[in-house]
Amino acid sequence: MGETPQRSADAGTGGTRVTHGHEWPAGASARVAEAPVSTRTPGGAGLGGGGALPTARRFGAERAFRGLTLAAGTFVLAVIAAIAIFLIAKAVPALRANTANFWTFEGWSPNDTEPKFGIGALAFGTVLSSALALLIAVPVALGIALYLSHYAPRRLGTGLGFLIDLLAAVPSVVFGLWGRDYFSGPVTDLSIWLNTYFGWIPLFGGNGPYGASILLGALVLAIMVLPIITSLSREVFLQTPTANQEAALALGATRWEMLRTAVLPYGRPGIIAAVMLGLGRALGETIALALTLGITFDISFNLIENGGNTIAANIANAFGEANETGRGALIASGLVLFAITLIVNITARAIIHRRREFTESAA
Amino acid sequence: MSTLTSHRRSPAAQPPTLRAKRLPKWMPPAIALGALLVAAAIVYGTGLGGPVLVVVVGGLLYLGGLYAAANAVEGQRAARNRTWSALIHSAFVLAVLPLASVVWTLLSRGAERLDADFFGTSMNNIGARDPNGGAYHAIVGTLEQVGIATLITVPIGILCAIYIVEYGRGRFAFAIRFFVDVMTGIPSIVSGLFVLAFWVLIVSPYFSSTGRPGFSGFAAALALSVLMLPTVVRSTEEMLRLVPAPLREGAYALGVPKWKTILRVVLPTALPGIVTGVMLAIARAAGETAPVLLVAGGGAAINLNPFENNQSSLALFVYQQAGDASRYAPARAWTAALTLVALVLVLTIAAKLLARRNRLGR
């Protein structure tokens, strides 16, 4: 990304030290700052003008500052490691105490004298609600992003884009509150309608009550991640080189063909990054789902009946009355969530990293 | 291929002018109207549903009809163009509806309790039958927690970014960059659990007078700083890379050591951008509920000391009032939500305006 100015800076500084210009290759920037120091140390009475320069110190401000920044960098790595270590340390006792199978048991009662809890249903609910939310949100978000970048009048597009950016900053608890108090009504109606006419599909089966369901949770999640995905992909679409777009139009492409051949391929890594970021948000979303889902502990593909649960929502709901083992159990479930998001993130980074080499676009 | 063949074939059907045949202007609205009428006839005729279904079916019929009409008159490519354009526009409308509903609800319900009492009192001794009560304690909590988190995050974040951009080379710097990226995706609840496991359960007993683990606003600040750190590092890093190379070169040429160049030349140049990033990080942290719920506990009384005893925050206040059975609780929840959104939006708008004035640009 920004590597080029960096390199040119090094080359420039390398060139100014005329006398020793050949000793260091221009790219060896890390040594540029210390370079004058090390050359002046032996003897000091070297070439002309050396006496006017400050004398070098082995433990000077330069080294101290560098050490400070290095410490800050290492701190970040330490935090990540600490997250994993402390979560594992607190989770293991609870997992030992668990009398049921952690992976398959459908239920969550870690506070009993014989603790029983399983992650299966929670992990399933987490993945199902996030996947559903993305399935709904991504096409719409890309549509809006294209509208804002290529269809709307310039001024309207900028204004609405700013508005979408603002919506991306709205806290999730607000969406949760809205979903529970206002959106559940229309979703209940929709669920009843779906059940009446499409009840033969297992997804929409069951006999009620409807409302606080995976469908509501996923829709609220979708509305929540929509501004995030939109604002990121809009930015990527706006960065498409004008030359590419004009070339496509000059060859007689219609506007959609121009979008498909010039804008979308250029923005693909950015789109993937935006979607993955949205997925990360959806997987880790706590409060909006704790407010909208009807909490149950079974694995079911039924989307419209009251029920559904996710790892994060369960932590928020069950934390209040958790005892020692209960907390450990919740931390264990958090560890699983951490692992899921890590996998998603690392996959996304890998995809972006590999694609960038081909498309040379900013992701 | 298909474009070529269709081009070759079409001139025969075209008038000798250079213009391609186009759908008349009145045609799309006419199709829309027809689609709505047909949809209404189908839906009400079979008794399947209400007006919403009419709009949905009408939309689908419109798309189909538009494609068919354009295909007949203008050819396949133009028909595709029209259909996709209609789809993109409808995606926009589809998304604006719920978002507008959120904003409208927030404003109308939030205005209900927007009075001095709300901002001046806490929830202490407020029972289920009391209509008053306020969020003073929560506002104090949010400000203190976010403030401490900022104090922790900003120096570490900026130093880390300086390391990545100015000093770091090779595998180690790459690892730091990579894990900062990974850290961006850590769910807020996991960071809350981390601080719960690390600070509240293990470290805090040593500091508390009773020797037992205790919640505190400081723990919440720690959890928030875990969330803010990657944002601050990434935005600072981006800004540092935008600082023009000649500025650094000029400083080096004058014999200024590297650390002084960074502190006196590079950082001041990138400062507006860095401040923007920090403000966006603050805005995001202020809206987090889950970590505060796990490690600060939330309380009804005003607690000005962030290092001891439970503290609430605005987001947590919204969540707790939402779960409260009192019939006055929803109004409090919505007003607190409005306050929170106002706080976050002011920060975000200020950050964006600052970014716009930023000389470095993007």
Side-chain angles (χ1 to χ4, degrees):
Chain A
M1 268 158 56
E3 292 292 350
T4 14
Q6 184 67 32
R7 208 166 289 141
S8 89
D10 301 333
T13 37
T16 49
R17 294 177 297 105
V18 184
T19 39
H20 298 283
H22 301 294
E23 291 184 28
W24 285 278
S29 61
R31 293 157 68 186
V32 165
E34 293 122 302
V37 177
S38 55
T39 46
R40 263 179 271 118
T41 21
L47 302 166
L53 292 168
T55 43
R57 275 160 295 172
R58 186 168 279 269
F59 296 105
E62 174 64 37
R63 196 159 281 230
F65 186 68
R66 194 190 163 148
L68 207 61
T69 61
L70 177 64
T74 319
F75 180 78
V76 173
L77 293 185
V79 167
I80 291 261
I83 290 177
I85 291 169
F86 280 100
L87 290 188
I88 292 172
K90 282 285 167 190
V92 165
L95 289 176
R96 286 242 170 99
N98 191 1
T99 52
N101 188 325
F102 180 65
W103 300 108
T104 55
F105 181 69
E106 292 180 24
W108 197 268
S109 42
N111 302 318
D112 303 349
T113 41
E114 276 195 5
K116 275 186 175 32
F117 54 92
I119 195 77
L122 297 176
F124 173 80
T126 306
V127 173
L128 179 64
S129 58
S130 306
L132 202 58
L134 279 193
L135 210 64
I136 301 165
V138 169
V140 179
L142 293 184
I144 309 172
L146 282 178
Y147 174 77
L148 292 178
S149 63
H150 286 87
Y151 281 86
R154 165 75 56 91
R155 188 163 288 198
L156 182 71
T158 320
L160 286 174
F162 188 72
L163 218 62
I164 295 273
D165 282 2
L166 291 188
L167 281 170
V170 170
S172 58
V173 66
V174 177
F175 284 104
L177 195 59
W178 174 80
R180 201 197 60 169
D181 284 5
Y182 286 87
F183 200 42
S184 57
V187 171
T188 309
D189 295 344
L190 173 68
S191 304
I192 292 171
W193 186 83
L194 282 173
N195 185 252
T196 323
Y197 294 101
F198 297 96
W200 45 274
I201 305 176
L203 290 181
F204 307 122
N207 32 24
Y210 310 107
S213 56
I214 284 275
L215 183 66
L216 176 64
L219 281 171
V220 169
L221 265 188
I223 292 168
M224 235 183 69
V225 298
L226 192 76
I228 299 168
I229 300 179
T230 304
S231 94
L232 287 175
S233 41
R234 169 178 160 263
E235 224 158 79
V236 178
F237 292 152
L238 282 176
Q239 281 172 4
T240 318
T242 327
N244 292 14
Q245 303 178 33
E246 284 171 355
L249 290 175
L251 287 172
T254 59
R255 192 176 335 199
W256 165 246
E257 283 164 349
M258 181 271 281
L259 292 177
R260 213 192 55 199
T261 54
V263 177
L264 288 179
Y266 180 85
R268 193 169 296 147
I271 296 173
I272 295 173
V275 170
M276 286 296 177
L277 199 76
L279 181 60
R281 277 287 165 85
L283 283 172
E285 180 45 47
T286 310
I287 296 301
L289 289 175
L291 284 172
T292 50
L293 291 181
I295 305 303
T296 54
F297 289 96
D298 52 347
I299 296 181
S300 153
F301 274 102
N302 190 319
L303 301 182
I304 57 171
E305 267 190 315
N306 274 2
N309 205 347
T310 70
I311 295 177
N314 179 53
I315 295 173
N317 280 324
F319 183 73
E321 57 255 22
N323 61 14
E324 179 86 35
T325 318
R327 278 181 188 163
L330 293 178
I331 290 176
S333 72
L335 195 63
V336 174
L337 179 63
F338 183 52
I340 295 177
T341 49
L342 267 192
I343 293 169
V344 167
N345 266 308
I346 292 179
T347 318
R349 299 294 158 198
I351 293 174
I352 296 161
H353 202 75
R354 223 182 47 194
R355 291 215 74 104
R356 190 184 284 161
E357 289 164 16
F358 296 117
T359 52
E360 290 180 293
S361 85
Chain B
M1 251 344 237
S2 64
T3 56
L4 278 181
T5 48
S6 73
H7 237 272
R8 223 173 268 153
R9 203 164 358 98
S10 51
Q14 270 182 352
T17 52
L18 276 175
R19 286 174 164 273
K21 226 178 194 176
R22 311 224 352 141
L23 272 185
K25 269 254 163 68
W26 51 265
M27 198 68 175
I31 295 175
L33 193 67
L36 273 182
L37 288 178
V38 173
I42 293 176
V43 171
Y44 288 119
T46 54
L48 276 175
V52 180
L53 191 64
V54 173
V55 174
V56 173
V57 173
L60 291 177
L61 285 176
Y62 170 69
L63 286 176
L66 187 68
Y67 183 84
N71 198 14
V73 179
E74 296 175 330
Q76 196 191 21
R77 292 174 56 215
R80 249 184 219 156
N81 186 33
R82 273 185 190 275
T83 315
W84 276 105
S85 163
L87 270 176
I88 285 170
H89 282 86
S90 55
F92 179 71
V93 174
L94 199 67
V96 161
L97 287 179
L99 291 174
S101 162
V102 173
V103 172
W104 170 246
T105 320
L106 191 62
L107 289 176
S108 59
R109 289 298 309 273
E112 237 169 87
R113 278 294 316 277
L114 211 58
D115 45 34
D117 191 43
F118 185 80
F119 294 102
T121 59
S122 72
M123 287 299 291
N124 211 8
N125 293 328
I126 300 288
R129 288 160 187 277
D130 297 319
N132 49 350
Y136 180 72
H137 63 300
I139 296 172
V140 168
T142 293
L143 293 181
E144 283 188 358
Q145 288 153 18
V146 172
I148 295 173
T150 311
L151 286 183
I152 297 172
T153 314
V154 168
I156 296 178
I158 291 181
L159 283 175
C160 180
I162 289 176
Y163 178 77
I164 294 174
V165 177
E166 306 278 344
Y167 291 109
R169 288 290 175 276
R171 224 164 247 275
F172 190 64
F174 178 80
I176 292 178
R177 276 202 61 177
F178 181 78
F179 278 104
V180 166
D181 275 355
V182 167
M183 216 172 154
T184 320
I186 290 184
S188 59
I189 193 118
V190 169
S191 108
L193 285 175
F194 161 60
V195 173
L196 175 77
F198 161 66
W199 184 266
V200 175
L201 295 182
I202 295 181
V203 180
S204 77
Y206 294 102
F207 290 101
S208 78
S209 44
T210 56
R212 283 191 304 164
F215 295 135
S216 66
F218 181 69
L222 284 181
L224 293 183
S225 46
V226 171
L227 294 174
M228 285 171 71
L229 192 59
T231 323
V232 173
V233 173
R234 283 310 303 267
S235 59
T236 309
E237 184 194 332
E238 240 165 61
M239 282 303 139
L240 289 181
R241 286 192 197 283
L242 285 177
V243 173
L247 280 181
R248 284 176 236 245
E249 288 164 11
Y252 294 149
L254 290 171
V256 182
K258 189 164 184 174
W259 66 275
K260 219 175 223 177
T261 310
I262 293 169
L263 286 183
R264 292 288 178 77
V265 177
V266 177
L267 274 186
T269 318
L271 194 63
I274 295 174
V275 173
T276 302
V278 169
M279 285 167 91
L280 289 178
I282 293 176
R284 195 192 150 196
E288 287 295 350
T289 317
V292 187
L293 172 73
L294 293 189
V295 300
I302 299 168
N303 175 15
L304 295 178
N305 179 5
F307 295 99
E308 243 178 304
N309 291 333
N310 287 15
Q311 215 176 26
S312 193
S313 84
L314 265 176
L316 182 56
F317 182 82
V318 176
Y319 178 60
Q320 285 177 336
Q321 291 300 314
D324 200 308
S326 162
R327 69 190 175 94
Y328 300 106
R332 287 194 287 260
W334 278 106
T335 307
L338 181 62
T339 317
L340 179 60
V341 169
L343 178 76
V344 168
L345 287 196
V346 164
L347 276 170
T348 314
I349 292 175
K352 300 263 171 198
L353 290 183
L354 198 68
R356 201 169 280 183
R357 287 184 47 186
N358 186 358
R359 278 176 300 149
L360 290 174
R362 268 188 152 268

